[in-house]
Amino acid sequence: MAAILPILSIILGFLSFQALAVPAPFLPRDVSPALPNQRSLQNEIGRSLSKRAALYFPGQAEYKNLTTRWAENINPNFFATVEVGTAEDVATTVKFARKYNIDFLAINRAHGTTKTLSTVKNGIQINLRQLQEITVAPDGKTAKLGGGVYNDNVVNALHAKGKSSGSGAAGCVGLMGAGLGGGYGRYEGFYGLVLDNIIDMNVVMADGTKKFVSAKSNPDLYWAMRGAGHNFGIVTRLTYKIHDEISPIWALTTMIFKQDKIEPVFNQLNKLIANGTMPARVINYALFAFNPNISTTDPVITVNIFYVGSAQDAKPYVKPFLDLKPVSTQNFVTSYPDIFYAAGTGLNDFVCHEPIGSAYLYPMGLQTYNVPVMAQLFQLYADKVKSNPNFSGSNVMLEGYSLGAVKAVDPASTAFAHRDDNILVGFLPRWTTGTNLSSEAEEWASKARTLVQSGTNGRPLSAYVNYAHGDEPLEAIYGYEPWRLARLRKLKKRYDPDFKFRFYNPIQ
């Protein structure tokens, strides 16, 4: 084979010369160079990459490691992975992909579940995991972060210096993947969303050029990147607001209720959420799930009440739920980094295992719970997981974050369109890969979302982009005010006219 390759190179070179010699009138109007193979990719791009960068191909162990996703049924298809070491490596790879009209997709922790990711075909994965810079400024007010950081390493690095900032609620999720679409998290009552803490970004654009993006430099792109950023560029570095830690300890009470308490539980959640005015120190997170330690036949509802401070100070918010007599109660007092593990969302917890099987997410935002409808939803969930045990790992996630700092931001100042949502719901059907249940999963999740939507008094569907399934109207994801999509489409045409960033709920 090695002896044949030089001959092939001579033949291909001759054919390329002959193609160039064809008179212009007979040439196709749109000619792309021949698609590269592994050797030509190594020869052409490998020499231009930094010493830290690496190329991997199917069949190699590290390729498999880098292309494994949290949800196995989400299948962007790559013929190569470039593990970049610098921003210049990202730019080089993008330019190479454009030259050959190859799909490319930047990946950090690979937790996205939108179906549109599976439209990548024979592409190049740009893996950002080496971009791990976390540098706190001398004044302690900002930090420089690499585009490959994730919640666990950011939270721990800041905590070590007595600092904190906005972050997601699961330790394994990439900070910027979430932040480009919003970035909900337990500190948002004080600091806002992840995107509200971004001061500036270094971004590689669709043509491979690099831009510095801030409120003063490329301000239109700064607006778009915060809420619709997956459509416009790859963030390689950012400056992030950080703050003195609010409290050295956090308290968490986890309570489990059976179905007979469903209505009083949701009535109490509505009182706590108080139409988006819940105190900044309080967070609630509820979950429909199977818990074999409680029942091997019936699902339960778990209610987590987090408090930024002591268990004593948390009592007024916990006691009304304890009065409902949960079948199980656990109490934790720990640091902010360890609250991830107390809640079961730490880097090494099951929820962060990769892969976790096959899964979809269907989101919707609510302002309040329609209690009778939530009782119907629980029954719909129970019927599904009991009738088909392959779905026993499925959940309904009910996230209630403090919203003071989120709602304090002018809604028009970013592309994020959901600041009037008080509750984030995620319908998460999960099943064993290979059981061919994707259509059944979609049918159930769509039915569940339609049911809950019927109880919103005509409020249109609100779909958080990072949870979006990929079949929602663009208005549901990017906002119903006509000016929002009009502005985003105009910017898309300006910054990505060839539609290269089209694999994550794309603006069209």
Side-chain angles (χ1 to χ4, degrees), residues 151-289:
N151 291 324
D152 184 83
N153 63 353
V154 173
V155 165
N156 278 281
L158 295 182
H159 176 71
K161 295 182 179 295
K163 300 291 181 180
S164 60
S165 191
S167 68
C172 49
V173 173
L175 185 77
M176 280 312 299
L180 292 176
Y184 287 95
R186 299 183 184 107
Y187 257 132
E188 69 182 65
F190 292 98
Y191 310 139
L193 302 164
V194 168
L195 62 79
D196 294 326
N197 292 278
I198 298 172
I199 298 172
D200 58 55
M201 294 168 271
N202 295 90
V203 182
V204 174
M205 305 301 293
D207 60 0
T209 59
K210 292 178 289 184
K211 289 187 181 294
F212 179 74
V213 178
S214 70
K216 294 183 178 180
S217 178
N218 299 298
D220 53 352
L221 193 55
Y222 182 64
W223 176 85
M225 290 290 294
R226 295 174 301 142
H230 308 89
N231 287 276
F232 292 98
I234 302 170
V235 177
T236 58
R237 194 178 192 228
L238 65 145
T239 305
Y240 204 56
K241 297 177 189 176
I242 63 174
H243 317 266
D244 291 335
E245 216 166 33
I246 301 296
S247 171
I249 58 171
W250 279 57
L252 167 63
T253 299
T254 299
M255 296 157 285
I256 298 177
F257 300 89
K258 290 189 175 181
Q259 186 171 3
D260 63 322
K261 300 294 177 66
I262 192 86
E263 293 197 8
V265 164
F266 276 99
N267 280 324
Q268 189 54 49
L269 284 170
N270 276 339
K271 290 179 183 178
L272 179 62
I273 293 166
N275 196 32
T277 62
M278 188 168 61
R281 289 180 180 268
V282 183
I283 305 98
N284 70 83
Y285 181 95
L287 186 74
F288 294 174

Side-chain angles (χ1 to χ4, degrees), residues 108-163:
N108 185 4
R109 304 289 293 186
H111 285 90
T113 58
T114 177
K115 288 182 69 175
T116 59
L117 287 166
S118 296
T119 61
V120 177
K121 302 298 180 186
N122 202 33
I124 296 177
Q125 183 201 78
I126 301 173
N127 195 287
L128 304 174
R129 71 175 182 177
Q130 286 196 39
L131 305 184
Q132 291 290 321
E133 178 189 4
I134 304 174
T135 304
V136 174
D139 65 5
K141 294 181 180 180
T142 63
K144 294 289 187 181
L145 304 178
V149 299
Y150 51 97
N151 291 324
D152 184 83
N153 63 353
V154 173
V155 165
N156 278 281
L158 295 182
H159 176 71
K161 295 182 179 295
K163 300 291 181 180

